[in-house]
Amino acid sequence: MDSLKTNSAQAFANEQERSQHEHHVPTAGAMIGHITANLAVHALKIEQAVLFAKGPSALFLNQHGRSWLQRELTFWEQINRALYAEADLVPTTSRELLEYSMLEENGAAKYDSGEQQLFDLIKDFDTQLLFIDRAIKLTEKEAHEGQNLLMKELYRWIKEQIALAQSFLGNEPTKGLSITDDDEDDD
């Protein structure tokens, strides 16, 4: 029994070493690991905003926040299966999700105005696009077609949600958001 635990611990240590290497290369799997981590953290942030936002944004979030949550968790599950199908590493611990996510959490944000909470979710969507754009290029390079299709579908869905939420706030779709850095080449 002890040798089984030793083997499991060694297998996980090997996986962590591979993960570190793939994040430095980077590989499509490593980039997608950031995306699943971002989806997991964003789901928590959506739940927080749905529960605590006040004013007109609360109405918007009650109408759209729950569907965002369900859709992101569905993507999360599909993407994890696509990672596994390509023998890529799948983040499976909360430590890995927090380490790989590039979204910032703040418990005090639930006391911000409803508009601010909604705009923060929009900015998170925008941050996710940066990683998805890179993942699309890497999955094309590595010929991971299933992952590539999911990345393109997620990209399209997020762009639509940004436009919808920005319209609710009276903004143009790109107001206050970063511009995707197309000049940066991952080759």
Side-chain angles (χ1 to χ4, degrees), residues 38 102-103 122-131 178:
N38 287 337
M102 296 298 146
L103 303 183
I122 294 168
K123 289 194 305 188
D124 289 342
F125 275 135
D126 187 52
T127 298
Q128 291 181 71
L129 289 177
L130 297 173
F131 290 89
S178 65

Side-chain angles (χ1 to χ4, degrees), residues 42-179:
H42 200 231
L44 289 172
K45 294 179 75 171
I46 291 169
E47 177 68 13
Q48 183 184 52
V50 167
L51 290 173
F52 292 97
K54 305 288 188 255
S57 294
L59 296 174
F60 179 89
L61 285 165
N62 275 319
Q63 184 176 2
H64 298 284
R66 295 279 172 220
S67 66
W68 286 353
L69 259 175
Q70 291 174 353
R71 187 76 172 151
E72 288 197 359
L73 293 174
T74 298
F75 272 117
W76 189 68
E77 179 185 0
Q78 292 173 331
I79 293 168
N80 281 342
R81 286 189 304 194
L83 285 170
Y84 187 78
E86 292 287 355
D88 284 322
L89 298 175
V90 181
T92 57
T93 67
S94 54
R95 186 192 58 77
E96 291 171 308
L97 295 175
L98 291 174
E99 181 181 341
Y100 301 147
S101 176
M102 296 298 146
L103 303 183
E104 294 180 16
E105 292 182 288
N106 180 358
K110 65 185 166 191
Y111 301 107
D112 290 344
S113 70
E115 283 188 5
Q116 185 61 54
Q117 290 185 57
L118 178 57
F119 190 66
D120 286 346
L121 293 175
I122 294 168
K123 289 194 305 188
D124 289 342
F125 275 135
D126 187 52
T127 298
Q128 291 181 71
L129 289 177
L130 297 173
F131 290 89
I132 296 165
D133 184 58
R134 290 181 180 161
I136 288 170
K137 293 173 185 167
L138 287 168
T139 55
E140 287 172 355
K141 182 178 172 183
E142 296 176 19
H144 290 188
E145 299 302 328
Q147 294 172 350
N148 183 266
L149 290 172
L150 279 170
M151 293 300 102
K152 288 178 177 174
E153 184 181 349
L154 179 59
Y155 188 94
R156 179 193 54 78
W157 179 77
I158 285 177
K159 289 288 265 189
E160 290 174 358
Q161 304 321 301
I162 288 172
L164 175 71
Q166 288 277 48
S167 177
F168 176 81
L169 293 175
N171 297 334
E172 293 298 319
T174 58
K175 182 179 179 186
L177 304 179
S178 65
I179 298 170

Side-chain angles (χ1 to χ4, degrees), residues 5-23:
K5 285 185 178 181
T6 302
N7 290 341
S8 296
Q10 185 58 50
F12 188 64
N14 293 343
E15 180 182 303
Q16 294 301 294
E17 186 175 322
R18 177 181 161 197
S19 176
Q20 290 298 320
H21 171 73
E22 290 186 2
H23 277 86

